[in-house]
Amino acid sequence: MTNLELAWALEEMGDLLEIKGEEPFKVRAYHRAARSLEQFEEEASVLFCRGELEKIPGIGKNLAKKIAELLETGQSTFLNNLRREIPSGLRQMLAIPGLGAKSVRLLYEHLHVTTLDELEEAARSKRVRQVPGMGSKTELAILRGIELLRETQEKIPIGIARSLAEMFRRQLLALPGVERVEVAGSLRRGCEMVGDVDLLAAVRPGNEVLEVMAGHPQVKEVLAREENHLCLRTWTGVKVEIFLVPPEKYTVAWFYLTGSAEHRRKLQELARRQGKDPAACGLLDRLEDEGIKLDEEADIYRSLQLPFIVPELREGRGEIEAAVAGLLPRLVTLEDIKGDLHMHTRWSDGLSSIEEMVAAARQKGYAYLAITEHSRSLGVARGLSVEKLLAQQEEIRSLNRKFTDITILAGIEVDILSDGSLDYAEEILASLDLVIASIHSGFQQSEEQLMARIEAALRHPYVDILGHPTGRMLARRRPYAVDVGRIIELAAETGTILEINSSPDRLDLTAEAALRAKEYGVPVCINTDAHDCYHLDDIWYGVTTARRAWLEPQDIVNCWDLDKLQARLKRNRHKR
DNA sequence: GCCGTTTTCGGCCCGACTGTTTTCAGTCG
């Protein structure tokens, strides 16, 4: 069992205990341990062999015992008992915004609802308001929440899909007879939400891949099984499809499974216009091979006199026309990123020191990074008082004297308060190298109020970047009521940079909005918002989103040299 | 549940907002 699987098990235990009404601190211990396992570098199974599970932060005697059982048997008696005790539908209800464990338990006790369907019915028939402490607004929130869940039902955020895919990929590769395994489908195209995880394996005859994978401990049920195809559902509810092909058919199958269907259709059209047989170009309508042998995907495009089109662009949104005209963008890559401009440290709610963040940034080959803590009003995140902010600037200055290979920018993620003012006075903001303004409160305000706040922030002379512009959380929270188009116009007018927040929970701006920003000439920056040094790796999600938005290095300020970036920041402050 | 220059008990992030009340509990970031 991997750390990720263990973390999921602990997470579920925590959720179920919370619904049961366990002590909040105990519940939090489970959730904290799950986070800790996810981020722990070494595999718990290795530590277990050495009897060192308790070296993982947040894992004590009790949790170590539960993890040991999971590692030894793939099962947990404790979790199985909890699952028997608490209907699984109750845990799903926790995902409804505004419903916590207490409310879920109350609904269960009073209305005996155990599934989302039953809860929806109870809300529709106005029975929820009979529960003490609940009224019509709660009913509405439940109905809206269920609607949100339904929209994303069967779909999971890219971050979860990618971890799961990597886990299955590694395990497939370890099986005899497996030569190659790659991710395909919408996950390979970098979509923010994916319906299932598609994996394609090149296999030799006589392998037992399907037998082994069908019995995998993560697998709850086998949805379909054919000669060369297995469709599974994991305990976490994710659909995983595994396709097997002989090595010589790999390229065509990988291309086919990557999609999108629209991209394939347009390529077929092009082939016909060129008087070619689509099948002979590897553009089959189905997965079965027709004896076409191609070494790599580029051969498929080459046969149509096209340059290679990367998976992120294969959506049938003009990429083929651009390829024909020789106008494909030179998309941003991870190597183009020269720095990360949004991260937190132990000074506020981060887990690493500034020096640890610097070391991690150096490891990535960055030339610069910005430390941007939360501002004073965000108490929950230990937002910095003016005194602490100044003290941190002093530490950053001293570190900058010490390091010659990398530059630390003293920044802030300042809250845009409910009235549109910023959380520090102008002279404080003026003393910083970089100011990100973000909304962390008053999500429920009207579009008028929210837009007035954002406009005020964008017009502020010292705001350089608007952080996570819409506030959406994938599969968890809709964007707050903002007009993204108007934000982009205002950014263009005021010279404000818009953030692509790379956190796989956010991806905000979306690829669509980032593309629109580019059309308006608004530069973006791709930031991780990391709260520890490991999450600087989340930059991959932001870069992938930017690639889906057709962005090139010149469109992204943290692909620029430090001189150019600083000149831009300075010039913009003078302009306003 | 975990953890310890507060060390084997007693803390553990805390304040704003919302919806429901009529003084507050639950949720969220």
Side-chain angles (χ1 to χ4, degrees):
Chain A
M1 251 186 167
T2 61
N3 286 4
L4 191 66
E5 292 171 275
L6 292 169
W8 283 339
L10 291 181
E11 186 78 22
E12 189 179 345
M13 290 179 201
D15 285 351
L16 296 179
L17 286 171
E18 194 176 8
I19 295 169
K20 248 186 96 172
E22 262 295 354
E23 230 198 299
F25 289 115
K26 186 192 276 194
V27 170
R28 229 176 59 193
Y30 280 84
H31 287 143
R32 211 172 31 203
R35 291 290 82 70
S36 176
L37 263 173
E38 264 177 18
Q39 290 168 13
F40 202 72
E41 278 182 294
E42 215 174 338
E43 280 299 318
S45 49
V46 177
L47 287 164
F48 172 59
C49 294
R50 297 202 302 260
E52 292 180 346
L53 278 177
E54 290 179 49
K55 285 202 169 163
I56 303 170
I59 309 286
K61 261 198 181 56
N62 269 295
L63 288 182
K65 222 181 281 172
K66 293 188 172 89
I67 291 170
E69 189 194 350
L70 281 163
L71 286 170
E72 280 179 325
T73 69
Q75 298 281 322
S76 162
T77 321
F78 182 68
L79 180 56
N80 288 342
N81 287 340
L82 281 172
R83 279 177 179 160
R84 267 196 291 278
E85 206 174 335
I86 317 270
S88 64
L90 298 191
R91 188 170 178 232
Q92 289 178 292
M93 293 177 197
L94 284 182
I96 298 171
L99 279 198
K102 295 235 169 95
S103 309
V104 168
R105 196 170 66 249
L106 221 52
L107 287 163
Y108 176 50
E109 284 168 359
H110 283 80
L111 303 174
H112 312 293
V113 289
T114 57
T115 64
L116 286 181
D117 286 339
E118 288 170 10
L119 178 61
E120 185 179 16
E121 166 51 28
R124 281 202 201 289
S125 57
K126 304 190 194 309
R127 283 188 292 136
V128 167
R129 63 185 66 177
Q130 297 165 1
V131 178
M134 294 190 183
S136 58
K137 291 257 177 80
T138 312
E139 273 170 359
L140 209 61
I142 286 172
L143 290 175
R144 267 207 300 256
I146 290 179
E147 193 186 87
L148 175 73
L149 291 183
R150 291 260 158 76
E151 273 172 30
T152 55
Q153 207 182 28
E154 301 286 311
K155 288 213 170 194
I156 50 167
I158 183 172
I160 295 173
R162 188 167 172 247
S163 314
L164 195 73
E166 191 44 42
M167 182 188 89
F168 274 102
R169 200 177 84 88
R170 276 205 311 270
Q171 293 174 346
L172 280 166
L173 277 172
L175 296 177
V178 176
E179 291 190 357
R180 179 181 184 188
V181 181
E182 303 286 355
V183 170
S186 53
L187 180 55
R188 184 175 178 221
R189 300 200 307 277
C191 294
E192 60 187 33
M193 299 288 291
V194 305
D196 52 22
V197 171
D198 294 322
L199 291 162
L200 177 66
V203 293
R204 287 189 297 275
N207 69 79
E208 294 184 343
V209 173
L210 297 190
E211 290 72 27
V212 175
M213 294 313 284
H216 190 283
Q218 255 300 313
V219 171
K220 186 180 176 195
E221 55 180 326
V222 175
L223 299 173
R225 180 165 168 180
E226 295 153 316
E227 196 187 338
N228 291 313
H229 170 225
L230 191 61
C231 181
L232 311 164
R233 187 172 311 278
T234 66
W235 280 104
T236 44
V238 181
K239 212 164 101 188
V240 178
E241 299 217 50
I242 299 171
F243 298 89
L244 307 183
V245 291
E248 65 274 13
K249 296 181 183 175
Y250 200 85
T251 298
V252 172
W254 199 23
F255 168 78
Y256 179 88
L257 287 174
T258 298
S260 64
E262 187 61 11
H263 178 76
R264 281 199 315 261
R265 195 185 62 74
K266 289 193 167 175
L267 277 182
Q268 285 176 7
E269 253 174 41
L270 178 68
R272 287 199 192 90
R273 280 205 305 278
Q274 292 182 352
K276 290 170 183 146
D277 173 12
C281 302
L283 299 167
L284 300 175
D285 288 325
R286 23 177 227 292
L287 191 50
E288 289 84 45
D289 141 290
E290 302 265 334
I292 308 301
K293 185 170 180 336
L294 297 153
D295 289 330
E296 47 184 32
E297 282 183 319
D299 293 336
I300 295 173
Y301 293 97
R302 202 171 298 128
S303 69
L304 300 168
Q305 281 112 48
L306 292 179
F308 179 68
I309 299 177
V310 298
E312 294 93 323
L313 293 184
R314 297 183 198 169
E315 297 291 349
R317 294 188 198 140
E319 71 278 8
I320 293 165
E321 293 80 349
V324 168
L327 294 174
L328 279 179
R330 201 302 244 161
L331 293 182
V332 58
T333 66
L334 278 177
E335 290 70 37
D336 293 316
I337 301 293
K338 293 197 163 69
D340 194 328
L341 299 178
H342 185 167
M343 67 190 71
H344 303 267
T345 74
R346 280 204 278 271
W347 280 81
S348 64
D349 61 344
L351 300 172
S352 304
S353 66
I354 298 181
E355 286 204 63
E356 285 164 340
M357 293 310 253
V358 171
R362 181 182 287 123
Q363 195 75 36
K364 300 185 99 56
Y366 290 167
Y368 51 84
L369 69 160
I371 304 295
T372 54
E373 309 292 3
H374 288 293
S375 61
R376 57 185 170 184
S377 287
L378 210 60
V380 50
R382 295 198 295 280
L384 265 50
S385 64
V386 170
E387 294 70 31
K388 281 202 169 161
L389 179 61
L390 296 176
Q392 186 188 55
Q393 286 184 46
E394 191 43 54
E395 178 177 332
I396 288 173
R397 270 194 288 273
S398 122
L399 286 173
N400 271 329
R401 282 192 291 274
K402 194 162 127 193
F403 303 132
T404 53
D405 60 331
I406 192 161
T407 302
I408 313 167
L409 301 177
I412 192 74
E413 183 183 16
V414 64
D415 262 47
I416 304 171
L417 302 177
S418 291
D419 63 356
S421 66
L422 298 184
D423 204 9
Y424 295 118
E426 213 168 292
E427 59 268 24
I428 301 294
L429 296 175
S431 71
L432 292 153
D433 299 321
L434 181 86
V435 175
I436 302 174
S438 303
I439 286 184
H440 291 115
S441 62
F443 299 143
Q444 307 299 330
Q445 288 180 347
S446 67
E447 178 172 328
E448 199 183 346
Q449 288 172 302
L450 279 157
M451 287 305 295
R453 285 165 77 184
I454 289 175
E455 178 165 357
L458 296 192
R459 293 196 187 286
H460 191 285
Y462 292 106
V463 169
D464 302 301
I465 297 172
L466 179 64
H468 42 76
T470 77
R472 69 102 172 243
M473 303 283 265
L474 283 172
R476 276 198 298 165
R477 192 172 76 202
R478 289 173 195 280
Y480 22 73
V482 292
D483 177 346
V484 179
R486 178 71 187 136
I487 291 178
I488 292 169
E489 283 174 18
L490 284 165
E493 187 190 327
T494 58
T496 313
I497 299 158
L498 295 180
E499 178 177 77
I500 294 179
N501 191 293
S502 305
S503 164
D505 291 330
R506 293 188 181 270
L507 295 178
D508 178 16
L509 301 171
T510 62
E512 293 70 29
L515 174 61
R516 204 148 151 205
K518 176 178 176 152
E519 288 164 1
Y520 276 78
V522 173
V524 305
C525 58
I526 304 175
N527 294 331
T528 59
D529 199 354
H531 284 66
D532 62 55
C533 52
Y534 306 112
H535 277 84
L536 290 184
D537 288 344
D538 284 350
I539 197 81
W540 182 88
Y541 295 99
V543 168
T544 299
T545 301
R547 287 167 66 82
R548 286 180 60 78
W550 295 52
L551 296 194
E552 304 180 89
Q554 66 265 24
D555 305 320
I556 299 155
V557 299
N558 51 324
C559 292
W560 300 353
D561 291 329
L562 181 60
D563 287 347
K564 184 175 172 190
L565 173 64
Q566 284 181 313
R568 150 86 202 206
L569 295 175
K570 209 173 281 174
R571 190 178 64 240
N572 221 44
R573 289 180 171 192
H574 283 286
K575 202 172 66 188
R576 283 179 281 183

